[in-house]
Amino acid sequence: MATEFEDGFPAEKLFNQGYSYTYDDVIFLPHYIDFPTDAVNLSTKLSRNVPLSIPWVSSPMDTVTESYMASAMAALGGIGIVHSNVTPSEQADMIRSVKSRRVPILSSPVFKAPDSRIADEFDSHDVPFVLVTQSGTQKTKLLGYVAKSDWLGLKDKEIKLGEVMRTDANVCVPWDYDLRQIDEKLKEEGRDFVVVEEGGKVVDAVTKEEVDRVKGYPKLGKGTVGSDGRWMVGAAIGTRESDKERLEQLVKAGVDVIVLDSSQGNSVYQVEMIKYVKQTYPELDVIGGNVVTMSQAQNLIKAGVDGLRVGMGSGSICTTQEVCAVGRGQATAVYKVSSIAAQSGIPVIADGGISFSGHIVKALVLGASTVMMGSFLAGSTEAPGAYEYDEKKKCRVKKYRGMGSLEAMTKGSDQRYLGDTAKLKIAQGVVGAVADKGSVLKLVPYTMQAVKQGFQDLGASSLQSAHDLLRSKTLRLEVRTAAAQVEGGVHGLTSHEKKAF
């Protein structure tokens, strides 16, 4: 007769003892391995109708997700949610920018009209050419271009661009060219750049330097592509009446999913907005939140959400738990909400509290379908903002701020905290800086490999497998003491250098 060991605790028992646990508070006990790491499949769903190759979502924060980040997320198989701390038209333009790309490159070409004269554009080392279009702006017909080398060789600097520009139809490629096709075009014709067109109008420009940069990262797959053959991208909106107009512009721009952005989503305002979105745009998935309790989640599920965002006060720049005395430890919140959401087939996004790959493993195994990250991605090449050098830390940094910080709230994010009519704005976040992380095109693949190794140790070959093992009480957990957490990290060294990959 086989002996049954009582080792560790099932999640159901552990998370029903009245404690609010963070990811660091709990640890999974290893299970049985009968498959290689490469056999782990982390494909999942963001919401009812939005499939992803990897469970990775970039947060709708103005120092995290704009068009570059959203393009990179889609290229990797995840998705980016564009923030709403801009005008509706600016947010819609970011959506269009993502939808018109098929390569995750960084590009900010200079556009001029044919009767323009260049004053100082070429003074910058970052401007190798100027594109001449009918209107002098993007999204119009390309007439030609002026290379920096051509301009520097001119004696008359006051001459109009239309008189010196090169007209070369072969410089253009279709918008749906992938990285390999663009690379082949550049090599075959010995070019330094190509112009991306759609419908006879300029969409973007791709340089050889950018192509070489992206080729240096792990190979990209198909990415997150919708039925229209374009990258998928989401957008955040609030619950004000004016957000209905914002939503209309986003739908026209081609947005694939909407996230109702609120620190406390269990409100009459969000319930009414969920119903409005589903009635007005029944084919558009809407994600509600944020929530941390089962009753909060149930209210939004009844209202018709297609996904739930979980987390309150767990972000590195969030002070909601300090200021308002409400929230929940993220491990407990994810487990509790996922338990009720699974009964209705609603995917859960674990939002916040992620510092390293182990936290991602815990979030996903505890029931989440995806993880949403802000600070983990902030400071990357694709994040908005310019790098500065931190003399004390001796490294490059980028600004990272909470959407509840006073600085962000002055730009409009106060509605996220239901402060649209409040005369006094109370901060629920801070402004800080994060170190340069390099490109997410390298950061994400390496991190996902670490996550796969975590799943292998747990004997779970997929997200569904992990959830089944947890709910069947096969996977067991324990709470870590403060000493156990110290022991589980680097310790006992006078100095060390910690590199994840």
Side-chain angles (χ1 to χ4, degrees):
M1 183 176 178
T3 303
E4 291 206 10
F5 298 103
E6 190 67 31
D7 209 354
F9 296 90
E12 183 180 7
K13 182 176 180 179
L14 189 75
F15 289 108
N16 280 298
Q17 301 182 71
Y19 293 101
S20 189
Y21 293 123
T22 67
Y23 294 136
D24 283 337
D25 288 327
V26 298
I27 193 75
F28 282 104
L29 303 186
H31 189 43
Y32 181 69
I33 298 174
D34 58 359
F35 55 86
T37 306
D38 290 343
V40 176
N41 181 358
L42 295 178
S43 60
T44 184
K45 282 190 173 183
L46 172 75
S47 55
R48 286 187 199 268
N49 304 298
V50 179
L52 302 176
S53 299
I54 61 171
W56 203 290
V57 188
S58 64
S59 182
M61 304 172 71
D62 59 8
T63 50
V64 178
T65 308
E66 292 188 347
S67 58
Y68 288 154
M69 180 65 76
S71 296
M73 287 294 104
L76 290 162
I79 195 168
I81 310 298
V82 176
H83 71 88
S84 60
N85 225 17
V86 288
T87 65
S89 60
E90 288 173 332
Q91 190 182 19
D93 283 342
M94 292 181 198
I95 298 299
R96 291 189 188 94
S97 177
V98 177
K99 304 294 281 188
S100 63
R101 294 167 179 255
R102 285 309 300 272
V103 286
I105 51 90
L106 306 178
S107 174
S108 53
V110 175
F111 296 94
K112 289 287 185 178
D115 58 352
S116 299
R117 295 176 174 84
I118 298 179
D120 54 9
E121 277 80 3
F122 283 136
D123 289 342
S124 170
H125 295 298
D126 298 329
V127 181
F129 54 83
V130 169
L131 300 181
V132 183
T133 62
Q134 281 183 332
S135 65
T137 61
Q138 197 176 8
K139 298 291 185 181
T140 57
K141 184 178 180 181
L142 179 72
L143 300 179
Y145 66 91
V146 178
K148 184 173 185 175
S149 56
D150 296 338
W151 184 255
L152 293 176
L154 290 175
K155 294 181 179 180
D156 181 7
K157 301 295 185 182
E158 294 300 314
I159 193 170
K160 293 180 179 179
L161 295 183
E163 298 178 31
V164 294
M165 68 181 183
R166 298 190 192 185
T167 55
D168 181 3
N170 289 330
V171 76
C172 298
V173 298
W175 74 272
D176 57 354
Y177 260 37
D178 60 22
L179 189 69
R180 179 188 59 81
Q181 291 171 306
I182 291 177
D183 187 34
E184 288 177 354
K185 173 84 171 179
L186 291 169
K187 287 179 177 178
E188 288 173 2
E189 301 184 9
R191 297 182 181 279
D192 293 324
F193 72 95
V194 292
V195 176
V196 181
E197 275 191 335
E198 181 179 11
K201 297 179 180 179
V202 177
V203 172
D204 209 343
V206 182
T207 65
K208 182 179 182 300
E209 182 181 7
E210 269 298 287
V211 170
D212 290 341
R213 179 183 70 87
V214 176
K215 283 169 56 183
Y217 302 131
K219 187 176 180 181
L220 296 170
K222 181 181 178 182
T224 306
V225 179
S227 58
D228 58 359
R230 299 176 185 272
W231 278 343
M232 300 187 81
V233 58
I237 65 171
T239 55
R240 294 175 179 173
E241 191 65 26
S242 60
D243 282 294
K244 294 178 180 178
E245 298 175 14
R246 178 184 292 270
L247 175 62
E248 182 180 1
Q249 291 197 39
L250 293 171
V251 170
K252 289 180 179 178
V255 73
D256 296 288
V257 60
I258 288 294
V259 173
L260 298 184
D261 197 19
S262 174
S263 63
Q264 212 286 51
N266 187 30
S267 68
V268 63
Y269 314 110
Q270 185 155 143
V271 168
E272 290 176 352
M273 183 60 84
I274 291 167
K275 292 178 178 178
Y276 172 81
V277 175
K278 298 309 295 182
Q279 289 170 1
T280 310
Y281 307 101
E283 301 301 316
L284 181 65
D285 274 14
V286 57
I287 295 170
N290 280 28
V291 296
V292 292
T293 71
M294 298 171 84
S295 60
Q296 282 182 305
Q298 189 61 36
N299 282 345
L300 300 190
I301 290 171
K302 288 180 179 178
V305 291
D306 300 294
L308 286 168
R309 189 174 167 199
V310 178
M312 191 174 189
S314 58
S316 64
I317 40 63
C318 187
T319 59
T320 297
Q321 293 185 18
E322 286 182 17
V323 174
C324 301
V326 291
R328 200 172 204 176
Q330 189 67 342
T332 299
V334 169
Y335 174 74
K336 288 289 190 177
V337 174
S338 297
S339 297
I340 192 72
Q343 297 175 19
S344 302
I346 301 297
V348 163
I349 304 169
D351 175 24
I354 303 293
S355 297
F356 40 79
S357 59
H359 289 162
I360 299 174
V361 174
K362 292 176 183 179
L364 295 174
V365 177
L366 287 172
S369 295
T370 55
V371 287
M372 177 178 280
M373 283 162 288
S375 64
F376 199 93
L377 301 174
S380 64
T381 305
E382 291 79 8
Y387 284 111
E388 297 178 1
Y389 190 77
D390 188 320
E391 292 290 347
K392 292 183 179 179
K393 299 289 185 181
K394 301 299 181 184
C395 66
R396 297 200 309 171
V397 298
K398 272 189 181 181
K399 178 187 287 188
Y400 177 52
R401 68 186 184 192
M403 297 303 278
S405 65
L406 291 177
E407 184 176 287
M409 290 170 77
T410 57
K411 291 190 66 178
S413 68
D414 58 334
Q415 64 170 315
R416 186 177 192 272
Y417 300 85
L418 303 180
D420 49 325
T421 58
K423 294 181 180 179
L424 301 177
K425 298 186 188 301
I426 306 300
Q428 292 186 41
V430 299
V431 179
V434 290
D436 178 9
K437 296 183 176 70
S439 175
V440 297
L441 298 177
K442 180 179 181 181
L443 174 66
V444 173
Y446 277 93
T447 304
M448 291 313 301
Q449 185 63 24
V451 172
K452 286 184 176 183
Q453 290 178 2
F455 267 64
Q456 182 192 38
D457 285 341
L458 292 171
S461 59
S462 67
L463 263 70
Q464 187 58 56
S465 171
H467 296 169
D468 291 343
L469 288 169
L470 187 77
R471 290 167 187 147
S472 67
K473 302 182 182 180
T474 302
L475 284 185
R476 317 286 278 195
L477 303 91
E478 288 180 342
V479 176
R480 296 198 296 173
T481 63
Q485 292 183 41
V486 171
E487 182 183 70
V490 179
H491 61 279
L493 304 177
T494 56
S495 64
H496 74 279
E497 183 179 8
K498 190 174 183 180
K499 288 186 177 181
F501 48 81

